[in-house]
């Protein structure tokens, strides 16, 4: 009896899926290997921007530079350095760019002040608009006496009309499936 | 009419911001080095065997101070590094009496064979070292490769160039260092 050998065409998708899983799990496996690193290493690393990555912190990245930076953080912690001293170490080499949270000084203050200022301006503008709308609602509207008389007459006619007429008309339309 | 003007202004501003974002290139590359005007950090790194006869097995930056230096960081996987290597070799041959060019292979762990092939491909005669764990790369605040530092004779950093160097820009920096 001949044994069927899976063709390369059939194995293709499986190989692709296996490669995708391996590629996705590689950084996590690498980070797991670093499990021996102090938890504080990742706390500090998450405050630093990875210099060779796009939108990743040193704590998240699997790039060689980020790994080396984590080792440096570990070594400095073991040497008794504080979080502030370690951040200053990297800031001295890379400048403020390396900090994911901009320092609260100089031009960086704008990042902190502008959103608050914008929110305050928004509240003030909203308050002014609400007061303006309220004032507009309280002011009597000037209307032509002839127009007012026509509206009153129309309302009186509506009040005199028996309400069951409309209800019956609706019922008739409803039964006909209109 | 007023509403049309306001809408046009808002949409126009957003469109301008979008176009600016697209055209601004690589803002990270334009970040000046934090080392400018400061002493270039010392390092001691193993030299490739091509240079051991002249410089020993380890190159110490501290021992080479006293003349202007060009410190070029490269990697064997970096395309632009292949583009700039011939320019660096020509500059070295032209200014070797006055300026020391140092090549630092970095962000390229366990790639000595690839580094050797790179050096052989261009016949680089200026000293090249291997920063295997990329510590020097971090010390110099590198964002990527290639990056090149121009260091004055007093050891302070005059300029950092991100991206491949050209002969004309190197000549300009060297002349400023020699002045």
């Amino acid at each position: 009896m001949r044994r069927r050998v899976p063709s390369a065409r059939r194995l293709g998708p499986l190989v692709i899926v296996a490669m995708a899983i391996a590629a996705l799990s590689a950084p996590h496996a690498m980070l797991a290997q670093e499990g021996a690193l102090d938890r504080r290493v990742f706390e500090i690393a998450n405050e630093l921007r990875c210099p060779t990555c796009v939108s990743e912190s040193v704590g998240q990245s699997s790039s060689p530079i980020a790994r080396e930076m984590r080792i440096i953080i570990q070594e400095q912690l073991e040497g008794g350095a504080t979080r502030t001293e370690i951040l200053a170490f990297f800031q001295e080499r890379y400048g403020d760019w390396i900090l994911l949270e901009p320092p609260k000084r100089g031009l960086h203050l704008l990042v902190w002040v502008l959103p608050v200022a914008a929110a305050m301006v928004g509240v003030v503008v909203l308050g002014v608009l609400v007061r303006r709308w309220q004032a507009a609602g309280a002011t009597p509207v000037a209307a032509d006496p002839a127009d007012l008389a026509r509206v009153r007459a129309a309302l009186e006619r509506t009040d005199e009309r028996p309400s069951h007429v409309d209800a019956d008309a609706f019922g008739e339309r409803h039964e006909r499936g209109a | 009419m007023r509403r049309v003007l306001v809408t046009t202004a808002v949409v126009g501003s957003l469109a301008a911001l979008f176009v600016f974002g697209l055209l601004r290139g690589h803002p990270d590359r334009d970040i000046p080095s934090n080392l400018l005007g400061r002493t270039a950090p010392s390092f001691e790194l193993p030299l490739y065997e091509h240079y051991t006869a002249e410089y020993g097995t380890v190159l110490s930056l501290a021992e080479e101070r006293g003349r202007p230096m060009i410190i070029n960081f490269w990697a064997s996987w970096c395309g632009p590094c292949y583009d700039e290597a011939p320019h660096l070799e020509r500059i070295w041959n032209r200014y070797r009496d006055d300026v020391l060019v140092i090549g630092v292979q970095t962000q390229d762990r366990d790639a000595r064979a690839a580094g050797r092939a790179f050096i052989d491909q261009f016949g680089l005669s200026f000293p090249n070292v291997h920063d295997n764990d990329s510590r020097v790369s971090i010390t110099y605040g590198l964002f990527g490769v290639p990056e090149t530092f121009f260091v004055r004779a007093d050891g302070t950093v005059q300029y950092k160039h991100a991206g491949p160097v050209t002969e004309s820009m190197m000549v300009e920096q060297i002349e400023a260092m020699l002045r």
Side-chain angles (χ1 to χ4, degrees), chain A residues 89-137:
Chain A
F89 170 86
F90 288 106
Q91 204 176 351
E92 191 184 335
R93 282 148 184 82
Y94 287 94
D96 293 339
W97 181 94
I98 200 76
L99 302 175
L100 280 172
E101 192 173 279
K104 296 181 181 72
R105 60 174 161 72
L107 200 63
H108 298 296
L109 264 179
L110 284 177
V111 179
W112 298 93
V113 171
L114 275 181
V116 179
M120 286 167 67
V121 168
V123 168
V124 170
V125 168
L126 201 63
V128 169
L129 285 175
V130 167
R131 286 187 66 178
R132 198 176 284 177
W133 294 329
Q134 282 177 336

Side-chain angles (χ1 to χ4, degrees), chain A residues 49 51-52 65 68-69 71-72 75 89-95 97, chain B residues 28 31 34 38 107 109 133-135 137-144:
Chain A
R49 194 194 301 212
T52 55
I65 283 289
E68 201 58 39
M69 286 170 81
I71 293 169
I72 290 173
E75 287 172 359
F89 170 86
F90 288 106
Q91 204 176 351
E92 191 184 335
R93 282 148 184 82
Y94 287 94
W97 181 94
Chain B
D28 289 356
I31 297 172
N34 223 35
R38 294 164 57 188
Q107 299 178 18
R109 185 181 276 272
D133 57 11
S134 302
R135 286 285 173 116
S137 163
I138 295 169
T139 305
Y140 273 73
L142 253 65
F143 293 99

Side-chain angles (χ1 to χ4, degrees), chain B residues 141-167:
Chain B
L142 253 65
F143 293 99
V145 278
E147 285 193 18
T148 307
F149 289 77
F150 295 82
V151 182
R152 300 186 191 98
D154 65 1
T156 56
V157 176
Q158 170 178 281
Y159 178 69
K160 181 200 85 169
H161 182 83
V165 286
T166 60
E167 275 179 77

Side-chain angles (χ1 to χ4, degrees), chain B residues 54-162:
Chain B
E54 193 173 350
Y55 297 94
T57 53
V58 172
L59 185 133
S60 166
L61 196 78
E63 288 176 12
E64 301 296 337
R65 289 201 202 281
R67 59 173 161 162
M69 284 184 275
I70 297 174
I71 305 172
N72 171 254
F73 290 89
W74 59 272
S76 62
W77 49 262
C78 149
C81 300
Y82 286 78
D83 297 335
E84 68 173 7
H87 298 285
L88 283 157
E89 179 63 17
R90 278 199 288 274
I91 284 291
W92 167 240
N93 287 327
R94 182 171 163 189
Y95 289 98
R96 63 189 304 162
D97 292 337
D98 302 312
V99 178
L100 175 64
V101 179
I102 300 170
V104 182
Q105 182 191 4
T106 192
Q107 299 178 18
D108 213 4
R109 185 181 276 272
D110 301 332
R112 274 188 86 84
R116 211 169 281 123
F118 180 91
I119 291 165
D120 291 338
Q121 181 176 338
F122 299 103
L124 301 179
S125 55
F126 56 86
N128 275 272
V129 292
H130 189 196
D131 175 28
N132 194 43
D133 57 11
S134 302
R135 286 285 173 116
V136 175
S137 163
I138 295 169
T139 305
Y140 273 73
L142 253 65
F143 293 99
V145 278
E147 285 193 18
T148 307
F149 289 77
F150 295 82
V151 182
R152 300 186 191 98
D154 65 1
T156 56
V157 176
Q158 170 178 281
Y159 178 69
K160 181 200 85 169
H161 182 83

Side-chain angles (χ1 to χ4, degrees), chain A residues 15-86:
Chain A
V15 171
I16 291 169
V17 169
M19 285 172 71
I21 291 170
L24 286 171
S25 60
H28 300 290
M30 189 277 300
L31 289 175
Q33 282 174 6
E34 291 184 79
L37 290 182
D38 197 309
R39 182 178 50 82
R40 286 177 301 160
V41 170
F42 286 94
E43 284 174 7
I44 295 170
N46 283 334
E47 294 188 52
L48 295 167
R49 194 194 301 212
C50 169
T52 55
C53 321
V54 177
S55 304
E56 272 189 311
S57 73
V58 170
Q60 295 166 321
S61 171
S62 57
S63 75
I65 283 289
R67 286 169 65 181
E68 201 58 39
M69 286 170 81
R70 288 195 289 269
I71 293 169
I72 290 173
I73 296 170
Q74 172 82 12
E75 287 172 359
Q76 295 204 0
L77 283 171
E78 286 168 359
T82 63
R83 169 189 159 278
T84 311
E85 286 168 344
I86 295 170

